[in-house]
Amino acid sequence: MLPQLTVPYAFGSTGYTLPEPTAPKGSYQLCVKSGNLLFLAGHLPQPVNGKLVVGKIGDSLTVEEGTQAAEYCGLNILATLKQELGDLDRVKRIVKVVGFVNCDDTFTQQPQVVNGASDFFGKVLGDRGVHARSAVGTNALPLGVAVEIEAIVEVE
């Protein structure tokens, strides 16, 4: 039987560098623990050393750009988890993901956009990254961002 890969090893295969967690953009905490669950606030699409991804999917941004933005949200969620837990191997499971997509009322590909975060979690965490999910379209998001992702995570 092969040994289970650790999260840092699997994360390294993504080609990303884990960023420093960003400060909240309002009067809230990025992460609140209750029992063995972590409730993560909405995280924004900001690549390492980059600017926030802003715009409407299906208008100023393509579905592919929206999917990439959702992946950046997932990356930032992992950064917050690392700060909170010290070790990403303490993540037992991503339980639930809620994705908000900035789009107009004719856009219907919200699930495809939010797949950026879902697929990223699966790639890094394997079966522990498979989760329940909602993907919602909205006419505006804070700071004009393209996507916002929040999560509930079970930890050891």
Side-chain angles (χ1 to χ4, degrees), residues 34-61:
S34 180
N36 64 340
L37 295 177
L38 295 177
F39 295 82
L40 287 100
H43 280 61
L44 305 181
Q46 186 168 12
V48 177
N49 300 320
K51 295 182 180 181
L52 286 170
V53 178
V54 297
K56 283 195 181 294
I57 312 300
D59 180 30
S60 60
L61 297 172

PDB file of all heavy atoms in Angstrom, residues 34-61:
ATOM      1  N   SER A  34     -15.843  26.473  15.895  1.00  0.00           N
ATOM      2  CA  SER A  34     -16.878  26.004  16.792  1.00  0.00           C
ATOM      3  C   SER A  34     -16.776  24.485  16.823  1.00  0.00           C
ATOM      4  O   SER A  34     -17.037  23.829  15.813  1.00  0.00           O
ATOM      5  CB  SER A  34     -18.265  26.451  16.297  1.00  0.00           C
ATOM      6  OG  SER A  34     -19.268  25.995  17.184  1.00  0.00           O
ATOM      7  N   GLY A  35     -16.363  23.944  17.956  1.00  0.00           N
ATOM      8  CA  GLY A  35     -16.119  22.507  18.035  1.00  0.00           C
ATOM      9  C   GLY A  35     -14.990  22.126  17.092  1.00  0.00           C
ATOM     10  O   GLY A  35     -13.919  22.733  17.114  1.00  0.00           O
ATOM     11  N   ASN A  36     -15.244  21.140  16.237  1.00  0.00           N
ATOM     12  CA  ASN A  36     -14.214  20.721  15.277  1.00  0.00           C
ATOM     13  C   ASN A  36     -14.489  21.276  13.877  1.00  0.00           C
ATOM     14  O   ASN A  36     -13.973  20.772  12.882  1.00  0.00           O
ATOM     15  CB  ASN A  36     -14.092  19.195  15.235  1.00  0.00           C
ATOM     16  CG  ASN A  36     -15.352  18.519  14.731  1.00  0.00           C
ATOM     17  OD1 ASN A  36     -16.439  19.088  14.753  1.00  0.00           O
ATOM     18  ND2 ASN A  36     -15.207  17.290  14.276  1.00  0.00           N
ATOM     19  N   LEU A  37     -15.307  22.340  13.812  1.00  0.00           N
ATOM     20  CA  LEU A  37     -15.609  22.977  12.527  1.00  0.00           C
ATOM     21  C   LEU A  37     -15.018  24.378  12.477  1.00  0.00           C
ATOM     22  O   LEU A  37     -15.068  25.120  13.463  1.00  0.00           O
ATOM     23  CB  LEU A  37     -17.114  23.069  12.299  1.00  0.00           C
ATOM     24  CG  LEU A  37     -17.874  21.754  12.150  1.00  0.00           C
ATOM     25  CD1 LEU A  37     -19.370  22.025  12.016  1.00  0.00           C
ATOM     26  CD2 LEU A  37     -17.361  20.966  10.954  1.00  0.00           C
ATOM     27  N   LEU A  38     -14.476  24.721  11.319  1.00  0.00           N
ATOM     28  CA  LEU A  38     -14.026  26.079  11.049  1.00  0.00           C
ATOM     29  C   LEU A  38     -14.975  26.675  10.025  1.00  0.00           C
ATOM     30  O   LEU A  38     -15.236  26.066   8.982  1.00  0.00           O
ATOM     31  CB  LEU A  38     -12.603  26.084  10.489  1.00  0.00           C
ATOM     32  CG  LEU A  38     -11.492  25.589  11.409  1.00  0.00           C
ATOM     33  CD1 LEU A  38     -10.166  25.604  10.667  1.00  0.00           C
ATOM     34  CD2 LEU A  38     -11.417  26.430  12.672  1.00  0.00           C
ATOM     35  N   PHE A  39     -15.483  27.855  10.321  1.00  0.00           N
ATOM     36  CA  PHE A  39     -16.356  28.586   9.412  1.00  0.00           C
ATOM     37  C   PHE A  39     -15.524  29.714   8.815  1.00  0.00           C
ATOM     38  O   PHE A  39     -15.099  30.619   9.544  1.00  0.00           O
ATOM     39  CB  PHE A  39     -17.579  29.133  10.164  1.00  0.00           C
ATOM     40  CG  PHE A  39     -18.470  28.041  10.688  1.00  0.00           C
ATOM     41  CD1 PHE A  39     -18.191  27.396  11.882  1.00  0.00           C
ATOM     42  CD2 PHE A  39     -19.599  27.653   9.975  1.00  0.00           C
ATOM     43  CE1 PHE A  39     -19.003  26.381  12.360  1.00  0.00           C
ATOM     44  CE2 PHE A  39     -20.420  26.637  10.450  1.00  0.00           C
ATOM     45  CZ  PHE A  39     -20.120  26.001  11.639  1.00  0.00           C
ATOM     46  N   LEU A  40     -15.265  29.611   7.521  1.00  0.00           N
ATOM     47  CA  LEU A  40     -14.435  30.602   6.854  1.00  0.00           C
ATOM     48  C   LEU A  40     -15.300  31.623   6.148  1.00  0.00           C
ATOM     49  O   LEU A  40     -16.222  31.270   5.409  1.00  0.00           O
ATOM     50  CB  LEU A  40     -13.484  29.923   5.866  1.00  0.00           C
ATOM     51  CG  LEU A  40     -12.354  29.182   6.597  1.00  0.00           C
ATOM     52  CD1 LEU A  40     -12.643  27.713   6.669  1.00  0.00           C
ATOM     53  CD2 LEU A  40     -11.046  29.484   5.973  1.00  0.00           C
ATOM     54  N   ALA A  41     -14.987  32.890   6.383  1.00  0.00           N
ATOM     55  CA  ALA A  41     -15.678  33.986   5.717  1.00  0.00           C
ATOM     56  C   ALA A  41     -15.419  33.922   4.226  1.00  0.00           C
ATOM     57  O   ALA A  41     -14.528  33.198   3.762  1.00  0.00           O
ATOM     58  CB  ALA A  41     -15.173  35.313   6.284  1.00  0.00           C
ATOM     59  N   GLY A  42     -16.180  34.689   3.481  1.00  0.00           N
ATOM     60  CA  GLY A  42     -15.953  34.767   2.043  1.00  0.00           C
ATOM     61  C   GLY A  42     -14.538  35.241   1.747  1.00  0.00           C
ATOM     62  O   GLY A  42     -14.080  36.230   2.320  1.00  0.00           O
ATOM     63  N   HIS A  43     -13.839  34.502   0.890  1.00  0.00           N
ATOM     64  CA  HIS A  43     -12.479  34.852   0.473  1.00  0.00           C
ATOM     65  C   HIS A  43     -12.522  35.355  -0.962  1.00  0.00           C
ATOM     66  O   HIS A  43     -13.307  34.868  -1.775  1.00  0.00           O
ATOM     67  CB  HIS A  43     -11.556  33.640   0.607  1.00  0.00           C
ATOM     68  CG  HIS A  43     -11.098  33.407   2.015  1.00  0.00           C
ATOM     69  ND1 HIS A  43     -11.969  33.146   3.044  1.00  0.00           N
ATOM     70  CD2 HIS A  43      -9.858  33.408   2.551  1.00  0.00           C
ATOM     71  CE1 HIS A  43     -11.276  32.990   4.163  1.00  0.00           C
ATOM     72  NE2 HIS A  43      -9.988  33.155   3.889  1.00  0.00           N
ATOM     73  N   LEU A  44     -11.659  36.309  -1.237  1.00  0.00           N
ATOM     74  CA  LEU A  44     -11.668  37.001  -2.516  1.00  0.00           C
ATOM     75  C   LEU A  44     -10.591  36.459  -3.454  1.00  0.00           C
ATOM     76  O   LEU A  44      -9.621  35.846  -3.007  1.00  0.00           O
ATOM     77  CB  LEU A  44     -11.482  38.507  -2.287  1.00  0.00           C
ATOM     78  CG  LEU A  44     -12.493  39.143  -1.328  1.00  0.00           C
ATOM     79  CD1 LEU A  44     -12.232  40.634  -1.206  1.00  0.00           C
ATOM     80  CD2 LEU A  44     -13.919  38.874  -1.748  1.00  0.00           C
ATOM     81  N   PRO A  45     -10.757  36.720  -4.757  1.00  0.00           N
ATOM     82  CA  PRO A  45      -9.815  36.187  -5.754  1.00  0.00           C
ATOM     83  C   PRO A  45      -8.596  37.102  -5.934  1.00  0.00           C
ATOM     84  O   PRO A  45      -8.627  38.058  -6.698  1.00  0.00           O
ATOM     85  CB  PRO A  45     -10.657  36.138  -7.028  1.00  0.00           C
ATOM     86  CG  PRO A  45     -11.620  37.278  -6.876  1.00  0.00           C
ATOM     87  CD  PRO A  45     -11.912  37.353  -5.399  1.00  0.00           C
ATOM     88  N   GLN A  46      -7.548  36.787  -5.188  1.00  0.00           N
ATOM     89  CA  GLN A  46      -6.327  37.574  -5.292  1.00  0.00           C
ATOM     90  C   GLN A  46      -5.139  36.630  -5.405  1.00  0.00           C
ATOM     91  O   GLN A  46      -4.828  35.907  -4.469  1.00  0.00           O
ATOM     92  CB  GLN A  46      -6.176  38.481  -4.082  1.00  0.00           C
ATOM     93  CG  GLN A  46      -5.003  39.427  -4.189  1.00  0.00           C
ATOM     94  CD  GLN A  46      -5.051  40.495  -3.118  1.00  0.00           C
ATOM     95  OE1 GLN A  46      -5.816  40.416  -2.163  1.00  0.00           O
ATOM     96  NE2 GLN A  46      -4.230  41.505  -3.271  1.00  0.00           N
ATOM     97  N   PRO A  47      -4.477  36.611  -6.561  1.00  0.00           N
ATOM     98  CA  PRO A  47      -3.296  35.772  -6.696  1.00  0.00           C
ATOM     99  C   PRO A  47      -2.154  36.307  -5.838  1.00  0.00           C
ATOM    100  O   PRO A  47      -2.178  37.466  -5.410  1.00  0.00           O
ATOM    101  CB  PRO A  47      -2.952  35.858  -8.186  1.00  0.00           C
ATOM    102  CG  PRO A  47      -3.595  37.102  -8.670  1.00  0.00           C
ATOM    103  CD  PRO A  47      -4.771  37.368  -7.776  1.00  0.00           C
ATOM    104  N   VAL A  48      -1.161  35.472  -5.576  1.00  0.00           N
ATOM    105  CA  VAL A  48       0.006  35.895  -4.807  1.00  0.00           C
ATOM    106  C   VAL A  48       0.626  37.107  -5.499  1.00  0.00           C
ATOM    107  O   VAL A  48       0.862  37.088  -6.705  1.00  0.00           O
ATOM    108  CB  VAL A  48       1.038  34.744  -4.697  1.00  0.00           C
ATOM    109  CG1 VAL A  48       2.284  35.212  -3.955  1.00  0.00           C
ATOM    110  CG2 VAL A  48       0.421  33.542  -4.016  1.00  0.00           C
ATOM    111  N   ASN A  49       0.861  38.149  -4.734  1.00  0.00           N
ATOM    112  CA  ASN A  49       1.476  39.385  -5.242  1.00  0.00           C
ATOM    113  C   ASN A  49       0.714  39.989  -6.421  1.00  0.00           C
ATOM    114  O   ASN A  49       1.303  40.622  -7.287  1.00  0.00           O
ATOM    115  CB  ASN A  49       2.939  39.148  -5.638  1.00  0.00           C
ATOM    116  CG  ASN A  49       3.769  38.686  -4.466  1.00  0.00           C
ATOM    117  OD1 ASN A  49       3.599  39.177  -3.354  1.00  0.00           O
ATOM    118  ND2 ASN A  49       4.643  37.735  -4.694  1.00  0.00           N
ATOM    119  N   GLY A  50      -0.592  39.759  -6.457  1.00  0.00           N
ATOM    120  CA  GLY A  50      -1.387  40.292  -7.567  1.00  0.00           C
ATOM    121  C   GLY A  50      -2.536  41.133  -7.082  1.00  0.00           C
ATOM    122  O   GLY A  50      -2.786  41.263  -5.884  1.00  0.00           O
ATOM    123  N   LYS A  51      -3.245  41.713  -8.031  1.00  0.00           N
ATOM    124  CA  LYS A  51      -4.413  42.529  -7.727  1.00  0.00           C
ATOM    125  C   LYS A  51      -5.656  41.657  -7.691  1.00  0.00           C
ATOM    126  O   LYS A  51      -5.711  40.600  -8.317  1.00  0.00           O
ATOM    127  CB  LYS A  51      -4.579  43.609  -8.801  1.00  0.00           C
ATOM    128  CG  LYS A  51      -3.456  44.620  -8.826  1.00  0.00           C
ATOM    129  CD  LYS A  51      -3.719  45.668  -9.885  1.00  0.00           C
ATOM    130  CE  LYS A  51      -2.585  46.676  -9.906  1.00  0.00           C
ATOM    131  NZ  LYS A  51      -2.814  47.727 -10.891  1.00  0.00           N
ATOM    132  N   LEU A  52      -6.668  42.122  -6.973  1.00  0.00           N
ATOM    133  CA  LEU A  52      -7.956  41.437  -6.959  1.00  0.00           C
ATOM    134  C   LEU A  52      -8.482  41.286  -8.381  1.00  0.00           C
ATOM    135  O   LEU A  52      -8.345  42.197  -9.203  1.00  0.00           O
ATOM    136  CB  LEU A  52      -8.979  42.230  -6.142  1.00  0.00           C
ATOM    137  CG  LEU A  52      -8.827  42.216  -4.631  1.00  0.00           C
ATOM    138  CD1 LEU A  52      -9.773  43.244  -4.008  1.00  0.00           C
ATOM    139  CD2 LEU A  52      -9.109  40.837  -4.073  1.00  0.00           C
ATOM    140  N   VAL A  53      -9.094  40.125  -8.658  1.00  0.00           N
ATOM    141  CA  VAL A  53      -9.742  39.911  -9.950  1.00  0.00           C
ATOM    142  C   VAL A  53     -11.130  40.526  -9.846  1.00  0.00           C
ATOM    143  O   VAL A  53     -11.965  40.069  -9.060  1.00  0.00           O
ATOM    144  CB  VAL A  53      -9.829  38.409 -10.300  1.00  0.00           C
ATOM    145  CG1 VAL A  53     -10.545  38.216 -11.626  1.00  0.00           C
ATOM    146  CG2 VAL A  53      -8.441  37.775 -10.321  1.00  0.00           C
ATOM    147  N   VAL A  54     -11.360  41.584 -10.624  1.00  0.00           N
ATOM    148  CA  VAL A  54     -12.634  42.295 -10.571  1.00  0.00           C
ATOM    149  C   VAL A  54     -13.339  42.209 -11.924  1.00  0.00           C
ATOM    150  O   VAL A  54     -12.707  41.988 -12.956  1.00  0.00           O
ATOM    151  CB  VAL A  54     -12.438  43.785 -10.174  1.00  0.00           C
ATOM    152  CG1 VAL A  54     -11.868  43.891  -8.778  1.00  0.00           C
ATOM    153  CG2 VAL A  54     -11.565  44.510 -11.168  1.00  0.00           C
ATOM    154  N   GLY A  55     -14.650  42.346 -11.898  1.00  0.00           N
ATOM    155  CA  GLY A  55     -15.438  42.342 -13.123  1.00  0.00           C
ATOM    156  C   GLY A  55     -16.587  41.362 -13.050  1.00  0.00           C
ATOM    157  O   GLY A  55     -16.717  40.596 -12.095  1.00  0.00           O
ATOM    158  N   LYS A  56     -17.427  41.392 -14.080  1.00  0.00           N
ATOM    159  CA  LYS A  56     -18.577  40.486 -14.191  1.00  0.00           C
ATOM    160  C   LYS A  56     -18.244  39.343 -15.134  1.00  0.00           C
ATOM    161  O   LYS A  56     -17.782  39.568 -16.255  1.00  0.00           O
ATOM    162  CB  LYS A  56     -19.803  41.227 -14.718  1.00  0.00           C
ATOM    163  CG  LYS A  56     -20.494  42.086 -13.689  1.00  0.00           C
ATOM    164  CD  LYS A  56     -21.876  42.486 -14.190  1.00  0.00           C
ATOM    165  CE  LYS A  56     -22.574  43.360 -13.200  1.00  0.00           C
ATOM    166  NZ  LYS A  56     -22.898  42.699 -11.949  1.00  0.00           N
ATOM    167  N   ILE A  57     -18.528  38.126 -14.668  1.00  0.00           N
ATOM    168  CA  ILE A  57     -18.331  36.949 -15.503  1.00  0.00           C
ATOM    169  C   ILE A  57     -19.408  36.967 -16.594  1.00  0.00           C
ATOM    170  O   ILE A  57     -20.580  37.217 -16.323  1.00  0.00           O
ATOM    171  CB  ILE A  57     -18.434  35.645 -14.682  1.00  0.00           C
ATOM    172  CG1 ILE A  57     -17.597  35.719 -13.410  1.00  0.00           C
ATOM    173  CG2 ILE A  57     -18.056  34.445 -15.532  1.00  0.00           C
ATOM    174  CD1 ILE A  57     -16.136  35.948 -13.605  1.00  0.00           C
ATOM    175  N   GLY A  58     -18.989  36.697 -17.823  1.00  0.00           N
ATOM    176  CA  GLY A  58     -19.912  36.722 -18.943  1.00  0.00           C
ATOM    177  C   GLY A  58     -20.028  38.091 -19.576  1.00  0.00           C
ATOM    178  O   GLY A  58     -20.710  38.260 -20.581  1.00  0.00           O
ATOM    179  N   ASP A  59     -19.355  39.084 -18.995  1.00  0.00           N
ATOM    180  CA  ASP A  59     -19.352  40.437 -19.556  1.00  0.00           C
ATOM    181  C   ASP A  59     -17.895  40.860 -19.746  1.00  0.00           C
ATOM    182  O   ASP A  59     -17.334  40.658 -20.809  1.00  0.00           O
ATOM    183  CB  ASP A  59     -20.113  41.396 -18.629  1.00  0.00           C
ATOM    184  CG  ASP A  59     -20.156  42.817 -19.159  1.00  0.00           C
ATOM    185  OD1 ASP A  59     -20.139  42.996 -20.388  1.00  0.00           O
ATOM    186  OD2 ASP A  59     -20.204  43.749 -18.330  1.00  0.00           O
ATOM    187  N   SER A  60     -17.266  41.396 -18.717  1.00  0.00           N
ATOM    188  CA  SER A  60     -15.871  41.829 -18.831  1.00  0.00           C
ATOM    189  C   SER A  60     -14.885  40.688 -18.601  1.00  0.00           C
ATOM    190  O   SER A  60     -13.701  40.828 -18.911  1.00  0.00           O
ATOM    191  CB  SER A  60     -15.582  42.977 -17.859  1.00  0.00           C
ATOM    192  OG  SER A  60     -15.811  42.575 -16.522  1.00  0.00           O
ATOM    193  N   LEU A  61     -15.351  39.565 -18.062  1.00  0.00           N
ATOM    194  CA  LEU A  61     -14.500  38.392 -17.829  1.00  0.00           C
ATOM    195  C   LEU A  61     -15.147  37.148 -18.434  1.00  0.00           C
ATOM    196  O   LEU A  61     -16.371  36.994 -18.404  1.00  0.00           O
ATOM    197  CB  LEU A  61     -14.289  38.163 -16.324  1.00  0.00           C
ATOM    198  CG  LEU A  61     -13.572  39.259 -15.541  1.00  0.00           C
ATOM    199  CD1 LEU A  61     -13.625  38.966 -14.050  1.00  0.00           C
ATOM    200  CD2 LEU A  61     -12.120  39.386 -16.003  1.00  0.00           C
TER     201      LEU A  61
END
